[in-house]
Amino acid sequence: MDERQALLAFAALGQEHRLRVVRALVTAGPDGLAAGVLAETIGIAGNNLSFHLKELSHAGLITSRREGKSVIYSAAYAGLSDLIAFLMRDCCQGHPQVCTPAVAALAACACPTGDTAHA
């Protein structure tokens, strides 16, 4: 991830509903959530949700796939991992104890490996 991509991702996450969407999708795991369930989960109308989903998708933070009549949204774990890696790339500067809490927090996560992109 380069700086331009990181800025796009941070801009997308810098809005309350979008941050809630990403957190809900990370919590939902690779199976994701249907758009209607997602709107209900974060407490916004479906038409407002569409705008936010477009921004998050454009930033590479979520993916979507069609299942019958439903559109299912999932966290783009590769994009989120790239963003974390961008932040941590130059961490420590010879002092590993600085990064230890962040690394430990990620290690404790039962996070999916790889991307579950279906777009």
Side-chain angles (χ1 to χ4, degrees):
M1 175 171 285
D2 63 22
E3 189 172 287
R4 184 194 64 76
Q5 292 167 314
L7 288 169
L8 187 63
F10 284 121
L13 290 171
Q15 199 283 337
E16 175 184 7
H17 295 306
R18 290 183 218 148
L19 182 59
R20 287 181 183 170
V21 165
V22 171
R23 293 192 71 198
L25 293 177
V26 167
T27 300
D31 291 338
L33 295 172
V37 173
L38 186 55
E40 185 177 311
T41 299
I42 63 168
I44 65 171
N47 58 340
N48 287 336
L49 179 64
S50 296
F51 169 76
H52 296 300
L53 293 171
K54 178 183 66 85
E55 293 296 315
L56 290 166
S57 180
H58 181 67
L61 300 175
I62 66 168
T63 61
S64 64
R65 67 185 184 278
R66 184 162 290 283
E67 285 186 7
K69 294 181 180 181
S70 297
V71 178
I72 308 298
Y73 291 91
S74 301
Y77 293 101
L80 293 168
S81 295
D82 287 349
L83 185 59
I84 293 167
F86 175 83
L87 288 173
M88 301 298 291
R89 184 177 301 139
D90 300 319
C91 185
C92 304
Q93 299 297 312
H95 304 283
Q97 69 277 10
V98 173
C99 297
T100 300
V103 171
L106 290 173
C109 174
C111 300
T113 57
D115 190 15
T116 59
H118 301 280

